[in-house]
Amino acid sequence: MLTVTFCVHAEKLFKCLAEDATMKARDMETAGLHKSYFPDVKVKPLDEDAAKKVEEVAKTGENASALPQAGDNPLEECRDFIAYYKRCCDRELKKKKNWILTEPYRVQEEYRYKSDSSR
């Protein structure tokens, strides 16, 4: 299995995704600043008061960092953790003891054998 260093980066990344990025994405949805996955869907704010407040702050320019803005990326909070996690995964998967994890057919075979033996 992968080393403890791998788990430390994973824990930090998933904690950031669960807390910071999720809160920012929810704030953006509330204010109607999020982007829809589908191009034909028009985005509406969930809370009209929050949308008005964000518009007012955007016009005046005061305390703009505390509120979400149009075009913000919720994953921006976790950018460093994503980079560390990717770098660590790439490094760990190059090690000989972890090569088997990069072979999809063998991994599928192992899971198939595990499920057959547990019956």
Side-chain angles (χ1 to χ4, degrees):
M1 284 292 153
L2 300 176
T3 63
V4 174
T5 309
F6 180 77
C7 295
V8 171
H9 290 298
E11 285 178 27
K12 289 178 182 178
L13 172 62
F14 293 127
K15 182 179 179 188
C16 180
L17 290 173
E19 294 174 3
D20 301 336
T22 303
M23 291 298 293
K24 188 169 185 176
R26 287 184 180 156
D27 290 344
M28 290 176 71
E29 285 178 1
T30 303
L33 300 174
H34 64 290
K35 294 179 183 176
S36 174
Y37 180 77
F38 301 102
D40 58 339
V41 175
K42 184 167 170 57
V43 176
K44 295 184 284 187
L46 298 175
D47 185 5
E48 294 295 331
D49 294 334
K52 289 177 184 175
K53 185 175 181 181
V54 168
E55 286 178 19
E56 288 173 9
V57 170
K59 288 178 184 175
T60 60
E62 62 185 48
N63 199 12
S65 63
L67 295 174
Q69 298 174 354
D72 278 354
N73 183 357
L75 294 178
E76 187 67 35
E77 310 289 323
C78 306
R79 180 180 292 272
D80 292 338
F81 298 124
I82 293 170
Y84 293 144
Y85 181 76
K86 183 181 179 332
R87 186 183 71 193
C88 190
C89 285
D90 292 343
R91 187 178 338 125
E92 291 297 320
L93 288 174
K94 288 179 184 174
K95 292 183 179 176
K96 189 171 184 175
K97 66 180 181 179
N98 295 326
W99 279 357
I100 195 167
L101 298 174
T102 62
E103 300 175 16
Y105 180 75
R106 290 191 71 166
V107 172
Q108 290 171 0
E109 287 290 313
E110 287 178 12
Y111 282 116
R112 183 167 45 145
Y113 291 134
K114 273 188 179 177
S115 63
D116 287 342
S117 65
S118 64
R119 290 182 186 171

